[in-house]
Amino acid sequence: MTFRTRRAVLREILAGDKCLRPASVYDAISLRIAEDIGFEVGMFGGSAASLAVLGDPDIALITLTELAEQMRRMARAATLPVLVDADHGYGNALNVRRTVQELEMAGAAGLTIEDTLLPQAYGVSKQQLISHDEGVGKIRAALQARGDSSLVIVGRTGAASITSVDDAIVRARAYQAEGVDALMFTGVKTRAELEAISAATTLPIVLGGPTEEMADWDFLAAQRVRIAVQGHAPIAAATQAIFATLQAVRDGAAPKELQGLASSDLMDWVTRAALVKQRAADVLGLKK
């Protein structure tokens, strides 16, 4: 499946009438598994990227090059469309241009650009936003940088929990006026807040971390939420599994005593072992 086809699939999702749970993915195997078990879209979150690539928390340490290279590896392994959290675009509006170019070439189906001030400012513990005008400039730069018009650009704001829902609406409407394909909101806490946002905008919505009050998929769909991100449990599950296995080995467990390991059939499945053997037979003259 070509990159353009993957982007077309994401656009179909955004144009639809359902709210989907994306698969939180962070490497080649996680994306391949998500595709194989039937997810329609993957979400490559900034926190998952930082953990997978650096082993660090989500404090804007990962670089654009590292993020794009990880996306490139994932795009090679599977064809599931991936929406990438591109954070603040790794700098100012000119840096945003390069961010879009690199992620487009790496195979992302879409990406989000947010208005959070990153990295964290000196001496300020509370999360901050960039100015309204700077946010608009970043969105404008992202749209201008697109080489493939099918690449989905999502304008993201965290204003709902940092300043106010009213500010989130003002910023979102400005990003909408620039021509983004969808809007992403984080920090929305109540149904009333989401309803106000939905009433004030017209584009498809990506919602980060819906609260229990909002966790009604018909309600979310009715508010034009097309993707609702529910955290990044898979990488936490993988971390726990690796920790438990290594701890058991360190404590002296024999290979046969280890619990929770993937079967040989599952490993063959996710590594496409049968396909590799077929290719080896075709081009290397090896027996299958």
Side-chain angles (χ1 to χ4, degrees):
M1 185 187 294
T2 67
F3 292 166
R4 181 177 283 270
T5 302
R6 300 177 201 192
R7 292 160 187 161
V9 172
L10 177 55
R11 286 182 173 275
E12 288 175 6
I13 290 169
L14 294 174
D17 58 3
K18 296 179 180 179
C19 178
L20 301 181
R21 301 172 177 88
S24 175
V25 294
Y26 55 89
D27 65 4
I29 289 296
S30 64
L31 182 61
R32 187 172 282 172
I33 291 172
E35 179 175 73
D36 284 354
I37 64 178
F39 275 93
E40 300 91 341
V41 63
M43 180 73 194
F44 186 24
S47 59
S50 186
L51 285 169
V53 176
L54 303 178
D56 282 325
D58 189 16
I59 54 173
L61 293 180
I62 192 170
T63 66
L64 167 60
T65 304
E66 291 166 331
L67 181 76
E69 185 55 35
Q70 189 75 346
M71 182 63 245
R72 199 181 321 278
R73 295 186 184 106
M74 293 162 62
R76 170 192 169 274
T79 62
L80 187 70
V82 176
L83 179 62
V84 180
D85 174 5
D87 286 336
H88 60 312
Y90 299 92
N92 65 21
L94 295 178
N95 298 105
V96 168
R97 288 185 60 86
R98 173 142 189 251
T99 295
V100 171
Q101 292 165 348
E102 294 294 335
L103 289 174
E104 179 179 313
M105 295 300 292
L111 58 92
T112 66
I113 297 293
E114 66 185 84
D115 52 17
T116 311
L117 177 63
L118 295 171
Q120 188 171 342
Y122 177 80
V124 180
S125 58
K126 184 180 178 182
Q127 199 171 43
Q128 296 174 286
L129 300 175
I130 59 176
S131 71
H132 175 279
D133 288 346
E134 185 176 3
V136 169
K138 284 191 171 188
I139 294 301
R140 186 176 300 153
L143 293 166
Q144 290 175 354
R146 234 179 351 197
D148 177 3
S149 61
S150 67
L151 178 70
V152 173
I153 303 292
V154 181
R156 170 175 166 170
T157 182
S161 62
I162 298 174
T163 51
S164 67
V165 172
D166 287 343
D167 187 27
I169 290 171
V170 169
R171 289 169 179 263
R173 286 171 64 91
Y175 304 158
Q176 178 175 290
E178 288 297 320
V180 295
D181 302 300
L183 299 166
M184 182 171 181
F185 298 89
T186 60
V188 179
K189 296 180 175 63
T190 68
R191 289 192 175 209
E193 289 178 349
L194 180 59
E195 287 171 339
I197 287 168
S198 178
T201 59
T202 60
L203 292 174
I205 293 172
V206 178
L207 187 64
T211 62
E212 288 187 15
E213 177 189 342
M214 288 188 287
D216 176 328
W217 299 93
D218 290 336
F219 166 75
L220 292 175
Q223 302 307 313
R224 293 197 323 283
V225 178
R226 298 298 170 249
I227 298 174
V229 183
Q230 294 183 290
H232 303 291
I235 196 167
T239 301
Q240 177 60 43
I242 292 168
F243 180 89
T245 302
L246 288 176
Q247 185 68 65
V249 172
R250 183 71 179 87
D251 292 343
K256 290 184 179 180
E257 296 173 330
L258 298 176
Q259 302 294 313
L261 304 186
S263 67
S264 59
D265 286 345
L266 179 56
M267 292 303 299
D268 285 347
W269 175 43
V270 298
T271 59
R272 306 295 193 256
L275 180 58
V276 172
K277 288 180 180 178
Q278 179 63 58
R279 288 171 177 163
D282 290 343
V283 301
L284 292 177
L286 302 178
K287 293 182 179 179
K288 289 189 290 182

